[in-house]
Amino acid sequence: MSQVEKKVGLLRRSSSSKKPLKEKVVLMYDEIFAKEDPSTHNPRFWDELFLMKVNLEYLESKLESVDGEEVQRIQDNINSLFHHCVQALGEEHQIKVVNALQTLCALFRGVHQKNKSASGFDIINMLMGFDKAELRMKDLMESLDSLLCGDGSESLKSLCLKLLLCLVTVTDNISQNTILEYVMINSIFEAILQILSDVSSRGQHGYDAVVLLALLVNYRKYESVNPYIVKLSIVDDEPTLDGMGMVVHHALTEYNRQYKAKEEENQGGFFSTLTTMVGNMFIADADEKLSVQTNEAILLALYEAVHLNRNFITVLAQSHPEIDMGVTPVTPTPTTPTTPLGTTPPSLDAMNNPELPLDPNLQTSNLLITFLKYASIVMQDTKDEHRLNSARLCLIILTCIAEDQYADAFLHDDNMNFRVNLHKMPMRHRKKGVDKNIPCRPLVCAVLDLMVEFIVTHMMKDFPMDLYMRCIQIIHKLICYQKKCRIRLHYTWRELWSALINLLKFLLSNETTLLAKHNIFHLALLVVNLFNMFITYGDTFLPTSNSYDELYYEVVRMHQVFDNLYCMVLRVSTNTGQWKEPASKVTHSLVNVRAIINHFNPKIESYAAVNHISQLSEEQVLEVVRTNYDTLTLKLQDGLDQFERYSEQPKEAAFFKELVRSISLNVRKNVSLNTMSQDVLLKEFSTIS
């Protein structure tokens, strides 16, 4: 007996001396894998096959076990099986449709698993015959489109989406999946939009539809015209865009809920008492337990919507009551125990009821707030590759948002104030926990808080240079908007200045180690130019004249850091070496900072000497600053309020290629784990004749 037969397809042993009996469907599969046409002796073979419960494991294993010569011998039968599967999708008998869909899943998976090294054309030939492939795939896609858009069973629609996800993810690199050319030609984009625009179907299938769309958008996106990119970029139908936002919002909300539940679970009982007693020495262990698997697929969908469709920006700001995750029961989606946390669709109840009851005591929220909370969690720990990718993608999304004029308008709108409780990393000098006294402020304050939080919590040996660059660039873009529109934001700017100075201090302290891996002068230049923005244009966007005084106070107070930075970049720029030019740029950028220090320091020392004060108070230093502005000379620096706009190609292409590969592997695993139970499906359609 073959290895395949040992694994599956057995009903019972009639006796110890006899061979085990096989299921009828397994016998029929064996006929397909014989050389002769199985319908020669049984004209009703294909009709009978699709009335049989599919044995997925046996069929896939059989396909994987076929060797090179056998492929040629049975190719006509495999082509015929594929053809009859597609034909069965048009049957009125629903059990036939279910079995045909599941058989197609097994065909796509089994053939690709066996022929990983084969070309896409060889796989197409084995599955459907190259000369008939265009017609077969046209028929398949039209049938799937009809099933998805029709009034039929929700279970069938779910199975159609599972089949499409299976088809899209059978190769590690989706751009090498040649069959997807037919999915580009025979678009199901409109079917996906219909699912997202309808409240009921969105609740059932929105998650799979959004993930499928995100993957299809990434098929050969840099090599040819992808119709899904073109179509997504021009969608302006409000219910559809709202539906897409709703799916993303609830998926991120579910992640945040799971994280908060784990956090509360770890804060109770003996562990909490012990942690308090020993002064948080177990904080790292506690944080590890809070890890919830990230959901890059839904983040990718959010990125593509924000990046490609300007109309989607309005969805980010749409307000609705915020569910208190601590008290609102959430109905879990039935999944297998092996499904990772954070990767499952949100509860159907939440998806089906977007209009929540209004409660005067309930804080309003929106997709952007939920996203910022999500980002504050995944950006805490970037040591794991998935969380690093999630953090990078969060910052790329925020970069796109910070560049958009409409997004900037609602971020800074004084009439749209929210209380955003961001999650903060546990650190020894502060208690972990959400600040209950956060005021209602424009959303840009929460974005700035998130950037400051990242800056102060990731100064470590394995320095995430790329993430720091993105953080500083986001801050710069927001300040450019404030300068341009003369928006005086009431924000605690001193926290940002302090974080930036500490970052410079860290770069100085770890110069040798960091220079072995990174161009720290580029980052230092961005930080110094942020200070130059405040120095040169601060009078147009800082909230009060006192804020401007505090900026000068902070620069003078921390002058040693700037002095040390100048000495370091001067040393590097006067020597020959690879860092000569970038260090020289930092030297020139420090001209106004040094002018402030050299102007005010002597005056502060003189004031202290005249008044016989050894230690000046902050107010006394501020008084010296205020009375000596007139004699300060600064140089006008060009281009401080200019920035390079985000472009995915070519800078981000490699990142997205690897990200999509990772997502594809994860989706493939979850599709195989979560393929709808055959017993449930067969029971549902057992009454249909």
Side-chain angles (χ1 to χ4, degrees):
M1 187 168 51
S2 72
Q3 184 65 32
V4 172
E5 290 169 1
K6 284 180 185 177
K7 286 170 64 181
V8 287
L10 308 183
L11 280 179
R12 60 184 172 81
R13 292 183 180 275
S14 54
S15 72
S16 57
S17 60
K18 292 182 181 179
K19 287 187 176 181
L21 297 176
K22 290 185 178 180
E23 296 174 72
K24 184 175 180 182
V25 74
V26 168
L27 293 171
M28 295 182 84
Y29 290 153
D30 288 344
E31 287 188 59
I32 293 170
F33 284 88
K35 187 176 181 180
E36 196 173 338
D37 181 347
S39 63
T40 302
H41 302 295
N42 179 7
R44 289 187 49 78
F45 178 87
W46 299 111
D47 285 333
E48 291 174 11
L49 178 68
F50 294 112
L51 289 170
M52 302 284 159
K53 179 181 174 182
V54 179
N55 191 323
L56 286 164
E57 190 175 354
Y58 185 86
L59 181 55
E60 281 186 51
S61 300
K62 195 81 174 169
L63 285 162
E64 288 176 38
S65 67
V66 175
D67 62 29
E69 289 183 9
E70 280 184 294
V71 169
Q72 299 296 322
R73 183 169 55 81
I74 63 163
Q75 183 176 309
D76 288 345
N77 286 356
I78 299 296
N79 290 175
S80 193
L81 173 59
F82 189 94
H83 171 53
H84 284 94
C85 280
V86 175
Q87 278 193 325
L89 297 183
E91 293 273 1
E92 288 184 18
H93 202 310
Q94 300 288 278
I95 284 182
K96 284 189 175 183
V97 180
V98 169
N99 288 329
L101 286 168
Q102 294 193 326
T103 303
L104 283 167
C105 272
L107 272 171
F108 284 128
R109 281 203 293 250
V111 169
H112 277 89
Q113 196 62 32
K114 169 65 184 173
N115 300 280
K116 282 186 174 179
S117 59
S119 73
F121 299 111
D122 290 337
I123 286 173
I124 290 169
N125 202 34
M126 182 179 177
L127 273 173
M128 53 196 111
F130 200 71
D131 56 333
K132 298 184 180 71
E134 195 169 327
L135 179 61
R136 296 283 181 266
M137 285 303 296
K138 181 175 182 289
D139 291 344
L140 172 60
M141 297 307 293
E142 284 178 355
S143 295
L144 293 176
D145 188 83
S146 297
L147 289 167
L148 288 171
C149 295
D151 298 325
S153 159
E154 296 302 325
S155 298
L156 272 183
K157 291 182 182 182
S158 181
L159 200 51
C160 287
L161 286 167
K162 292 282 189 281
L163 170 61
L164 286 163
L165 283 169
C166 168
L167 170 58
V168 172
T169 60
V170 283
T171 54
D172 292 353
N173 179 351
I174 66 169
S175 293
Q176 291 176 352
N177 186 352
T178 315
I179 296 177
L180 292 188
E181 286 296 330
Y182 300 109
V183 183
M184 296 293 120
I185 297 166
N186 306 286
S187 173
I188 49 154
F189 184 81
E190 286 72 22
I192 293 173
L193 293 199
Q194 184 171 318
I195 288 169
L196 295 175
S197 62
D198 179 75
V199 174
S200 175
S201 66
R202 180 170 70 235
Q204 295 279 342
H205 319 296
Y207 184 88
D208 282 348
V210 161
V211 172
L212 176 63
L213 180 58
L215 289 169
L216 288 172
V217 161
N218 279 275
Y219 173 72
R220 295 188 180 172
K221 67 193 306 189
Y222 308 122
E223 302 159 32
S224 58
V225 177
N226 180 321
Y228 290 85
I229 291 177
V230 177
K231 291 181 178 183
L232 179 57
S233 67
I234 58 174
V235 174
D236 59 359
D237 179 61
E238 200 172 320
T240 303
L241 294 172
D242 289 349
M244 193 182 301
M246 194 75 69
V247 172
V248 175
H249 176 265
H250 284 297
L252 297 181
T253 298
E254 177 64 11
Y255 176 93
N256 295 348
R257 184 196 67 78
Q258 290 180 21
Y259 179 86
K260 188 171 182 179
K262 279 200 164 197
E263 188 178 48
E264 288 173 353
E265 182 185 319
N266 282 337
Q267 283 175 350
F270 173 73
F271 179 81
S272 178
T273 310
L274 184 61
T275 302
T276 306
M277 286 169 56
V278 297
N280 294 340
M281 68 186 292
F282 295 124
I283 240 169
D285 295 333
D287 201 39
E288 281 176 23
K289 291 181 183 178
L290 296 182
S291 179
V292 179
Q293 182 167 332
T294 51
N295 191 339
E296 285 96 355
I298 212 72
L299 263 194
L300 179 66
L302 176 59
Y303 163 75
E304 297 296 359
V306 168
H307 179 231
L308 294 175
N309 191 304
R310 290 208 65 203
N311 299 313
F312 188 79
I313 292 292
T314 60
V315 176
L316 295 174
Q318 285 177 359
S319 297
H320 54 77
E322 182 181 53
I323 303 172
D324 183 345
M325 293 301 176
V327 297
T328 306
V330 178
T331 307
T333 305
T335 58
T336 58
T338 46
T339 302
L341 289 173
T343 58
T344 55
S347 70
L348 300 185
D349 286 351
M351 294 287 286
N352 282 325
N353 296 287
E355 296 299 327
L356 300 168
L358 290 172
D359 182 337
N361 299 315
L362 215 52
Q363 148 91 336
T364 54
S365 182
N366 56 39
L367 174 54
L368 184 56
I369 291 174
T370 303
F371 167 67
L372 289 172
K373 289 180 178 179
Y374 176 91
S376 72
I377 296 169
V378 298
M379 286 167 64
Q380 286 181 36
D381 176 17
T382 55
K383 290 171 187 160
D384 169 73
E385 183 186 357
H386 288 287
R387 294 173 80 82
L388 179 65
N389 286 339
S390 279
R392 182 175 287 130
L393 191 47
C394 285
L395 290 171
I396 291 175
I397 292 168
L398 283 171
T399 299
C400 295
I401 291 170
E403 285 184 9
D404 187 274
Q405 292 288 315
Y406 182 83
D408 281 327
F410 76 71
L411 280 175
H412 291 86
D413 191 342
D414 250 339
N415 298 313
M416 293 174 63
N417 292 327
F418 298 90
R419 185 177 290 108
V420 184
N421 291 312
L422 299 175
H423 293 265
K424 294 191 174 183
M425 188 185 288
M427 297 178 76
R428 299 195 187 282
H429 66 274
R430 69 180 184 192
K431 290 182 180 178
K432 181 170 174 62
V434 178
D435 188 350
K436 304 293 184 186
N437 301 313
I438 294 174
C440 277
R441 303 173 296 171
L443 277 175
V444 68
C445 296
V447 179
L448 289 169
D449 282 349
L450 183 62
M451 299 301 99
V452 170
E453 174 67 14
F454 182 86
I455 291 169
V456 299
T457 54
H458 288 76
M459 295 181 221
M460 51 195 179
K461 286 181 180 178
D462 191 12
F463 188 68
M465 180 72 167
D466 174 68
L467 303 189
Y468 268 98
M469 294 284 291
R470 295 179 193 277
C471 269
I472 304 301
Q473 287 166 341
I474 290 166
I475 295 167
H476 180 234
K477 287 169 183 179
L478 294 173
I479 292 174
C480 285
Y481 179 81
Q482 292 164 26
K483 179 256 177 184
K484 176 185 172 184
C485 299
R486 294 182 172 267
I487 295 171
R488 299 190 181 277
L489 184 69
H490 289 273
Y491 182 72
T492 49
W493 291 111
R494 288 181 84 161
E495 289 185 10
L496 171 62
W497 300 331
S498 175
L500 293 174
I501 291 169
N502 282 327
L503 174 56
L504 291 176
K505 194 174 179 181
F506 175 81
L507 296 179
L508 287 166
S509 302
N510 298 274
E511 174 195 350
T512 307
T513 309
L514 293 174
L515 273 177
K517 296 180 180 178
H518 309 291
N519 177 3
I520 62 172
F521 301 106
H522 192 179
L523 179 58
L525 180 65
L526 292 179
V527 172
V528 173
N529 277 339
L530 267 188
F531 279 101
N532 285 329
M533 274 287 289
F534 282 103
I535 292 165
T536 309
Y537 302 116
D539 59 331
T540 65
F541 62 83
L542 286 172
T544 63
S545 57
N546 195 48
S547 304
Y548 201 65
D549 302 336
E550 288 174 353
L551 167 66
Y552 279 64
Y553 170 81
E554 208 61 31
V555 170
V556 171
R557 185 177 73 86
M558 300 300 290
H559 71 88
Q560 195 64 56
V561 175
F562 292 104
D563 290 342
N564 292 343
L565 177 63
Y566 181 74
C567 291
M568 189 262 274
V569 293
L570 189 63
R571 165 173 50 82
V572 176
S573 64
T574 52
N575 294 328
T576 54
Q578 69 177 117
W579 307 119
K580 180 181 174 70
E581 188 179 339
S584 180
K585 288 180 181 177
V586 182
T587 309
H588 295 309
S589 72
L590 281 164
V591 60
N592 281 340
V593 173
R594 296 190 70 241
I596 290 167
I597 293 168
N598 293 335
H599 177 74
F600 286 107
N601 260 355
K603 295 194 176 350
I604 291 167
E605 289 167 9
S606 173
Y607 180 90
V610 168
N611 293 281
H612 306 293
I613 305 170
S614 59
Q615 189 76 35
L616 294 185
S617 67
E618 180 177 335
E619 192 49 51
Q620 288 169 324
V621 174
L622 285 170
E623 184 56 36
V624 175
V625 169
R626 290 188 193 103
T627 55
N628 287 282
Y629 276 130
D630 294 345
T631 52
L632 173 63
T633 304
L634 298 175
K635 288 186 179 179
L636 187 61
Q637 294 176 304
D638 294 327
L640 291 175
D641 57 347
Q642 304 297 313
F643 56 81
E644 184 182 352
R645 293 190 67 81
Y646 171 78
S647 174
E648 182 181 318
Q649 169 79 339
K651 287 186 178 178
E652 312 293 349
F655 166 68
F656 278 102
K657 184 178 178 181
E658 285 308 310
L659 180 73
V660 172
R661 180 190 292 269
S662 171
I663 291 169
S664 181
L665 290 170
N666 198 44
V667 170
R668 184 198 309 169
K669 180 177 67 176
N670 285 331
V671 167
S672 60
L673 287 171
N674 293 324
T675 298
M676 296 176 67
S677 164
Q678 288 173 287
D679 293 333
V680 172
L681 285 163
L682 294 174
K683 184 179 179 182
E684 179 180 341
F685 299 118
S686 60
T687 56
I688 303 171
S689 60

